[in-house]
Amino acid sequence: MFKVKKKVLRILFSAVAFLISLAYLYKSIDFNELSIALKEANYEYLFLAILLSFLTLFFAATRWYLVLRRVQKTSFKRTIQAFVSGYYLMAILPPTVGHIVKVKLVGGDYFAALSSLAFGMAMEIVIILSFGFIFLGFTKLGLIGIALILLAFLYDKVFHKTALAFFRFWENLGAKKISEKLRDWWSRGYAGWSIARKNKSGFLLVFSISLVVIFIQILGLMLVGKAFSLEISFKQALYAFLMSVIFASLSGIPSGIGANEFGILVGIGSSTKAALTAFLYKFIFQYMYSIAGAFVFYRLLGGHHEDSTG
């Protein structure tokens, strides 16, 4: 009963967040100005932004593949198919569930594949927050975030032992079945994580790719703004990028539609050109891949069906 109520409340919260985001975007748009902005747009900048979005997709999928191949046998083609499918899955499912299903598409040991994805994503999230804090003036918080990356890399065994002790504690309290299940999942995930981090050069490569992926997305937002003669500084773009990630994550809206744009407007200011920039930026770097991801996902499902019946 409690789970049902929690789910309903979550859906209501996401719906309210979506409506508030749409209302804010609608309020920001002057439709006469919108028509003029579209006519006077420099579409060369949009073309460059699209090229950057392809690079973002390639580097992000490559980062997952580099970690995944250390954990289990896989092909780059299969990895990128699962990665693109993830955009669609996160459009029809809550983001967390979308990632879970995406990992399943890769095949092999599920928890090993999940740990490899988590390895790269966790690094990107901490980098975003750390350098975001530093760039925005919160230097101490940023340095703490970077320190956490190094601690997790150097002392991950301590975290692992702490988690096992936690599971044993719950087992002693009588929750034996659930604690054993959680311990098994954790151990399998940690096995993949520990294999992924063994190679120091590999760790630095994943770290570098994460930085590149973030930088390209920030540059992409600046280019989309330039297409509509909207000058966005690197600091503004970084702040907008951070707000977009935070708002979309908190809202629980599939694909973060509305919340993404709301966050960007908080970062670059509210205007017709800013709203247009926010939507087109998210379409180029995310939403268009949700459409492509649908075709890839159902093609993969068809392949699974043929394999099972053939």
Side-chain angles (χ1 to χ4, degrees):
M1 186 67 179
F2 176 74
K3 287 183 179 180
V4 174
K5 286 183 178 179
K6 188 177 179 181
K7 185 177 180 181
V8 171
L9 287 172
R10 183 63 182 171
I11 292 172
L12 286 174
F13 176 79
S14 297
V16 171
F18 179 66
L19 291 173
I20 291 173
S21 299
L22 284 185
Y24 185 78
L25 289 169
Y26 180 78
K27 188 180 177 182
S28 303
I29 296 173
D30 179 308
F31 287 95
N32 290 326
E33 188 181 341
L34 178 65
S35 177
I36 295 170
L38 288 171
K39 288 178 182 177
E40 296 180 350
N42 186 334
Y43 288 97
E44 289 180 4
Y45 285 115
L46 291 180
F47 178 72
L48 288 174
I50 291 171
L51 292 180
L52 286 182
S53 79
F54 291 153
L55 276 178
T56 301
L57 176 70
F58 173 77
F59 281 127
T62 300
R63 179 185 61 193
W64 187 19
Y65 173 70
L66 290 174
V67 180
L68 184 60
R69 69 177 184 174
R70 298 185 184 282
V71 177
Q72 64 181 34
K73 288 184 178 180
T74 190
S75 67
F76 182 72
K77 180 182 177 182
R78 187 70 177 189
T79 305
I80 202 165
Q81 285 176 331
F83 193 85
V84 174
S85 296
Y87 284 97
Y88 167 67
L89 293 168
M90 285 182 282
I92 62 172
L93 299 168
T96 304
V97 180
H99 282 303
I100 289 171
V101 179
K102 174 175 74 175
V103 171
K104 192 73 176 175
L105 294 173
V106 176
D109 187 297
Y110 175 77
F111 289 97
L114 181 63
S115 66
S116 66
L117 178 66
F119 185 84
M121 288 183 63
M123 194 173 296
E124 183 172 328
I125 290 169
V126 176
I127 290 170
I128 289 171
L129 294 177
S130 300
F131 285 92
F133 282 134
I134 291 173
F135 198 81
L136 297 172
F138 301 99
T139 307
K140 289 182 180 179
L141 288 174
L143 292 175
I144 288 171
I146 294 171
L148 285 174
I149 294 178
L150 296 174
L151 285 173
F153 175 61
L154 296 172
Y155 302 107
D156 62 340
K157 289 182 180 178
V158 175
F159 289 98
H160 179 53
K161 289 179 180 178
T162 303
L164 293 179
F166 176 76
F167 296 138
R168 281 195 297 271
F169 171 75
W170 280 102
E171 190 173 338
N172 293 332
L173 288 178
K176 187 175 181 180
K177 287 186 178 180
I178 185 67
S179 62
E180 285 181 348
K181 192 70 173 176
L182 289 173
R183 183 171 57 195
D184 177 57
W185 288 351
W186 173 271
S187 296
R188 288 165 65 184
Y190 176 73
W193 173 283
S194 58
I195 293 170
R197 67 163 286 279
K198 276 181 180 178
N199 189 296
K200 291 183 180 180
S201 60
F203 175 85
L204 291 173
L205 182 59
V206 171
F207 183 86
S208 301
I209 290 174
S210 297
L211 282 175
V212 170
V213 167
I214 294 165
F215 177 79
I216 290 175
Q217 291 180 81
I218 294 169
L219 182 59
L221 178 56
M222 295 169 68
L223 283 174
V224 176
K226 269 188 170 294
F228 303 104
S229 302
L230 187 66
E231 294 297 327
I232 304 171
S233 68
F234 186 84
K235 184 175 181 178
Q236 281 181 309
L238 173 59
Y239 183 55
F241 177 74
L242 285 170
M243 291 300 102
S244 176
V245 172
I246 291 170
F247 281 30
S249 300
L250 292 177
S251 71
I253 302 169
S255 281
I257 296 176
N260 281 317
E261 291 79 2
F262 186 21
I264 290 172
L265 291 186
V266 169
I268 65 175
S270 177
S271 68
T272 299
K273 288 184 177 181
L276 182 58
T277 295
F279 174 74
L280 282 179
Y281 165 72
K282 289 309 299 182
F283 181 81
I284 291 170
F285 279 82
Q286 181 181 346
Y287 303 151
M288 74 174 185
Y289 293 116
S290 298
I291 299 168
F295 291 99
V296 176
F297 174 69
Y298 288 110
R299 185 178 179 182
L300 284 176
L301 281 188
H304 277 307
H305 180 71
E306 289 172 8
D307 291 340
S308 62
T309 57

